[in-house]
Structures are given as C-alpha cells and as structure tokens.
Amino acid sequence: MSLKKGKLILSEAGKWRSKLTALQKSTFVIDTVSPQATIEFIQDSDGVVSKCLLKQNELTEWLKVK
C-alpha cells in the first residue's frame, strides 16, 4: 500500500494496482476489482492498524498487518 498524489493505492508487485475510495473513516472500496471488494483497517487500542478485513461477495478474509 502506498500514498501517491494524495490517493491511497493498494497493489501486488508486478501483478495489479488499484486506487482505494473511502466509504467511511477506515473502510475503502478497491476500485479495480470485480466483483466489488472492500477493505477495512482495524485499529488496536493504541490506534495502530493491527489487521485488515477484506470483503468480496460472500467471502470475508482477515489480513495480518506486518
């Protein structure tokens, strides 16, 4: 994930790249994925992002943050 020209970009090196559009403070739509997917950044009690929740159709997957 990176920030380019004020836009949040999610990518997998050499494979794909997508701009994220905010739905809420911590939930974003992944623009180039079909069917539509969202990613939510979950913060711990210190306000640090500790994991992400990826949702696409009926699939929900937790992503561990490094």
Side-chain angles (χ1 to χ4, degrees):
M1 187 162 337
S2 60
L3 186 62
K4 299 205 180 203
K5 296 183 181 179
K7 297 183 190 228
L8 195 54
I9 306 293
L10 182 65
S11 64
E12 185 175 354
K15 294 186 179 183
W16 59 271
R17 183 178 156 154
S18 179
K19 181 178 74 140
L20 299 180
T21 300
L23 293 177
Q24 298 174 354
K25 180 180 176 184
S26 61
T27 305
F28 297 81
V29 171
I30 303 170
D31 291 339
T32 60
V33 176
S34 182
Q36 187 180 57
T38 61
I39 189 166
E40 180 181 359
F41 298 96
I42 310 297
Q43 297 177 345
D44 63 18
S45 59
D46 295 324
V48 175
V49 174
S50 58
K51 55 189 164 185
C52 299
L53 179 62
L54 178 65
K55 293 182 182 179
Q56 187 175 32
N57 284 339
E58 300 298 316
L59 176 66
T60 299
E61 184 174 344
W62 286 103
L63 306 171
K64 185 177 179 182
V65 177
K66 292 181 180 179

